[in-house]
Amino acid sequence: MDTARIINIAVPIVFLGLFYLLLVKPQQKREKEVKQMREALAVGDEVVTIGGLVGKIVKVDEKQVTLEVGADKTRLIVEKWGIGKHYSRD
């Protein structure tokens, strides 16, 4: 094989490797962390939904959580996949 042919094969392979390392791998790590956070949800945790609601968990089921929101302590049932992150008052 001549050098030009090797370069023509190597360049796409290098780009695919960089694409994987810079985009795919970090996304997989974030998804794993979010999944672990959702599995570890417990009563008393303050969370933010992906829609921006802030509430305190009062009940945890297999696929849903019940949140207490607002001053009047309204209760909302939210799917676990809808929980975005733990809330911190920073």
Side-chain angles (χ1 to χ4, degrees):
M1 278 194 196
D2 60 347
T3 308
R5 187 174 221 167
I6 293 173
I7 291 174
N8 284 340
I9 293 172
V11 169
I13 292 172
V14 169
F15 278 122
L16 286 173
L18 287 173
F19 176 78
Y20 178 79
L21 289 174
L22 296 175
L23 297 175
V24 175
K25 192 70 171 163
Q27 179 63 27
Q28 288 176 340
K29 182 181 177 190
R30 280 190 296 272
E31 288 175 9
K32 183 179 177 183
E33 290 170 353
V34 168
K35 182 179 178 188
Q36 288 174 341
M37 180 270 302
R38 288 177 180 154
E39 289 173 354
L41 291 173
V43 173
D45 290 352
E46 288 190 337
V47 295
V48 180
T49 67
I50 58 175
L53 292 173
V54 177
K56 187 176 190 177
I57 297 176
V58 293
K59 182 179 175 187
V60 178
D61 292 330
E62 186 177 322
K63 293 186 177 187
Q64 299 174 331
V65 296
T66 302
L67 296 180
E68 206 170 71
V69 297
D72 59 352
K73 300 189 184 240
T74 302
R75 291 189 175 200
L76 303 172
I77 298 172
V78 179
E79 296 287 326
K80 278 188 177 180
W81 61 260
I83 303 296
K85 62 182 179 177
H86 278 101
Y87 179 71
S88 62
R89 297 182 190 265
D90 297 347

